[in-house]
């Protein structure tokens, strides 16, 4: 049970805003618990039952009369109370019957596997399902969390099914001898210890909302002791085509204000949940921690802490930290008022205190070292107070003193922009905050995001919202935010630090670690404007599958072999879902890649193999989305084996296999505020992340428009096996060769039909 100390109770009683937030939370929770019904429908039911009863008609089984007989008082009052009780009972029965029906309907995933298009009709079963979903859920506009309790739990696959899919996924990567060895290990596991481990996992799947998410968050992110800079945190660039103002002050203030508006939408649940095909909801749980959230270091395990409210942000500029109040006189400050505060920070000529400039390097270094330093030097006094202000801030802003540049004639400028956002100088990013809004001195913005609390699609939504809102609201006039300040906002206050010699030594040690990591980063951002998803879809090919095949072809040409490929897919069709792995290197993709390198294979055969490879990839992707993936199940079994202290050679080998090609697609247009076809300048450049292994690549891509693709390719300079610049050229060549293949195939068909 949640407990409060006296100071917290006083804080609640004294803060009217928190009471208001609490009221909205209670009200919205009640609405969500009865969705898709409304409270108004209850009063309709009460009036209807009361009218029927007093008209002389008996409600079934004369329920009103039976209930009234147990109520003392006047006859009319007893009958009124009885009518209300019966109406409430019948209304609740209908509401929960509808809700349980929706739960069952959301279990059906067959619609996802059916071919969609102008000439393709869904099956009879899917048509009936569509009709029922519309009937039961389309009564009124849902709130952000309306569907949360209606979402099904992530299904737990059987061990034989997962083993079968796993062996199929590694077949193209192993020779006959090693494959036979893995078959033997898998068989021994499946018929031996796997039975016991699965039994425990089944028990967890019964009582847990999601059988894997909590373990995934803890063991993949929070228990890791290595630095999170580059390896975990990622970056986003929003937006480089359209620059509404060159003023860093104005753009920063505008972006802050729209972030706060987005926070309000989340808090009041006015943000619409994402509905696949306009009907099936995705889990919205991760939005809860976008703001007021930080990662707290621990000696053995970190933890994610979310604060209920924050009335301030923290701004970092030239080695100094400032607390900036964003809530004053019972309202959020306007963008034009925040602009005055940001200007004061830029005008501040004071120097950082000793150790302050590189303080954030602690969040970039080894996690255990940061936890120990936090315990030794930030447990009391002014250091604790200042650290609390940072950790309890809504988010942190970095005012960089360099420009974020984009020039099509000089692509290396965008590479540099990505590096600035990904790791900065190693000491000017508070990597523990849920996200950090970064602004260049030329008015461009971007994000550095902690990966532990949520997945990239959530922050992509935030970035889209800011850019689209700026565009739609015409936020800037003459380079400044529109509007006139109603009052002089509270001035930013410098955070104070008392960092002793040992603390400064710890900061310097973490900085050395961070600097070594960031100096090893090679990043290339590639804009492919020869064609985009328009040409791909015109050939009836999935853009994601097509790009994944291009990456397979590029990697084979780069490395001379095939390797395990990781593509992240969402599992948010299920409650508290995060991600699942799509193993993009398949038997079919390898056949196609080899055919592309064999001049003896005809165009028709290559196209057929390409279609087969894309079809297999799409099937694997859908399986992953629908809870039939491989890696999260094996991961869950591995965690159980560790809890039971059971050694499994099979699981140990599977979990130690390196992902040499780690990929992810960044979605576009999640906010639905702007038609990107009409306003392509609002498109985001996406973002990127570091490689999963020392000799691997981290590749993020975005199908940004009908004629535009973005790739963010990252590798380590210390590796002799990888080279981001070289790999980008291979991607460019692969995309060109694939286009030529499709065009040749089209010409062949035209000549045959002529």
């Amino acid at each position: 049970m949640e407990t409060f100390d006296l100071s917290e109770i006083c804080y609640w009683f004294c803060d009217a805003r928190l009471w208001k937030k609490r009221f909205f939370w209670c009200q919205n929770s009640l609405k969500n618990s009865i969705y898709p019904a409304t409270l108004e429908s209850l009063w309709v039911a009460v009036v209807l039952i009361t009218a029927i009863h007093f008209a002389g008609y008996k409600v079934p089984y004369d329920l009103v009369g039976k209930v009234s007989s147990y109520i003392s008082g006047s006859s009319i009052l007893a009958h009124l109370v009885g009518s209300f009780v019966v109406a409430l009972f019948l209304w609740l029965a209908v509401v929960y019957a509808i809700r349980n029906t929706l739960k069952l309907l959301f279990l059906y995933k067959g619609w996802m596997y059916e071919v969609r298009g102008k000439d393709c009709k869904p099956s009879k079963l899917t048509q009936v399902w569509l009709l029922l979903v519309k009937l039961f859920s389309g009564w009124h506009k849902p709130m952000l969390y309306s569907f949360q309790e209606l979402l099904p739990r992530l299904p737990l696959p059987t061990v034989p099914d997962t083993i079968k899919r796993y062996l199929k996924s590694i077949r193209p990567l192993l020779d006959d001898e090693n494959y036979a060895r893995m078959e033997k290990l898998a068989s021994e596991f499946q018929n031996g210890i796997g039975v016991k481990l699965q039994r425990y996992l089944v028990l967890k799947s019964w009582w847990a909302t999601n059988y894997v998410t909590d373990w995934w968050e803890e063991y993949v992110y929070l228990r890791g002791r290595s630095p999170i800079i580059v390896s975990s945190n990622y970056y986003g660039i929003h937006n480089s085509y359209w620059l509404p103002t060159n003023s860093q002050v104005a753009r920063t203030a505008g972006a802050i204000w729209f972030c706060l508006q987005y926070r309000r939408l989340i808090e009041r649940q006015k943000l619409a949940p994402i509905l696949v095909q306009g009907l099936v909801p995705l889990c919205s749980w991760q939005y809860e921690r976008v703001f007021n959230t930080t990662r707290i270091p621990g000696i053995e395990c970190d933890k994610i802490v979310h604060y209920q409210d924050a009335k301030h942000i923290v701004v970092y500029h030239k080695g100094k930290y400032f607390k900036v109040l964003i809530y004053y006189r019972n309202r959020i400050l306007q963008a034009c008022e925040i602009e005055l505060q940001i200007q004061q920070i830029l005008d501040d000529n004071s120097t950082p205190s000793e150790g302050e400039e590189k303080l954030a390097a602690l969040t970039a270094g080894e996690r255990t070292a940061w936890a120990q330093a936090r315990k030794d030097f930030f447990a009391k006094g002014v250091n604790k107070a200042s650290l609390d202000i940072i950790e309890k801030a809504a988010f942190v802003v970095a005012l960089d003193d360099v420009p974020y540049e984009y020039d099509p004639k000089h692509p290396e400028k965008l590479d540099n922009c990505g590096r600035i956002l990904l790791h900065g100088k190693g000491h000017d990013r508070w990597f523990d905050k849920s996200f950090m809004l970064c602004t260049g001195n030329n008015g461009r913005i971007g994000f550095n995001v902690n990966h532990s609390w949520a997945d990239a699609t959530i922050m992509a939504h935030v970035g889209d919202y800011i850019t689209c809102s700026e565009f739609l609201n015409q936020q800037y006039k003459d380079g400044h935010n529109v509007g006139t300040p109603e009052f002089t906002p509270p001035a930013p206050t410098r955070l104070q630090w008392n960092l002793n010699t040992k603390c400064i030594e710890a900061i310097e040690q973490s900085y050395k670690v961070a600097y070594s990591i960031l100096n090893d980063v090679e990043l290339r951002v590639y804009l492919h404007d020869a064609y985009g998803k328009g040409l791909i879809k015109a050939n009836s090919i999935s853009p994601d599958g097509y790009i994944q095949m291009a990456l397979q072809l590029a990697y084979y040409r780069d490395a001379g072999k095939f390797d395990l490929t990781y593509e992240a897919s969402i599992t948010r069709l299920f409650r508290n879902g995060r991600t699942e792995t799509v193993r993009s290197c398949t038997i079919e993709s390898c056949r196609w890649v080899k055919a592309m390198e064999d001049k003896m294979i005809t165009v028709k055969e290559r196209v057929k193999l390409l279609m087969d490879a894309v079809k297999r990839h799409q099937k694997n992707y859908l399986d992953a989305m629908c809870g039939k993936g491989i890696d999260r199940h094996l991961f869950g079994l591995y965690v159980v084996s560790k809890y039971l202290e059971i050694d499994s050679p099979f699981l140990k080998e599977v979990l130690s296999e390196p992902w040499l090609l780690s990929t992810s697609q960044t979605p576009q247009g999640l906010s639905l505020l702007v038609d990107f076809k009409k306003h392509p300048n609002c498109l985001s450049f996406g973002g990127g992340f570091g490689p999963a292994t020392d000799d691997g690549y981290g590749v993020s891509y975005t199908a940004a428009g009908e004629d535009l693709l973005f790739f963010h390719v990252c590798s380590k300079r210390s590796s002799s096996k990888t080279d981001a610049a070289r790999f980008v050229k291979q991607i460019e060549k692969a995309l060109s060769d694939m286009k030529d293949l499709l065009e040749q195939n089209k010409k062949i068909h035209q000549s045959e039909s002529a």
Side-chain angles (χ1 to χ4, degrees), residues 191-203:
N191 299 315
I193 194 61
V195 176
K196 182 178 181 180
L197 299 181
Q198 178 75 354
R199 195 178 299 131
Y200 279 90
L201 210 53
V202 167
L203 289 174

Side-chain angles (χ1 to χ4, degrees), residues 531 535 539 541 546 549-550 553 557 591-593 595-598 601-614 733-749:
Y531 65 93
L535 182 143
N539 285 275
I541 304 177
Y546 184 95
M549 293 310 108
L553 179 57
R557 289 171 172 173
R591 286 174 182 166
W592 172 73
V593 169
M596 289 295 289
E597 299 298 275
D598 187 348
I601 305 296
T602 65
V603 170
K604 278 190 173 182
E605 288 177 291
R606 289 176 179 176
V607 171
K608 182 183 182 302
L609 289 172
L610 173 61
M611 294 300 186
D612 290 343
V614 171
K733 186 176 186 303
L735 290 170
S736 177
D737 290 348
M738 292 172 75
K739 180 184 178 183
D740 291 343
L741 176 67
L742 295 176
E743 289 179 344
Q744 290 174 33
N745 186 59
K746 185 178 180 180
K747 289 178 181 178
I748 291 172
H749 278 290

Side-chain angles (χ1 to χ4, degrees), residues 108-116 276 573 622 625-626:
Y108 175 66
K109 298 292 184 290
W111 62 275
M112 296 184 65
Y113 293 88
E114 296 181 8
V115 179
R116 291 184 288 275
V276 181
L573 288 167
L622 292 172
M625 285 185 66
C626 295

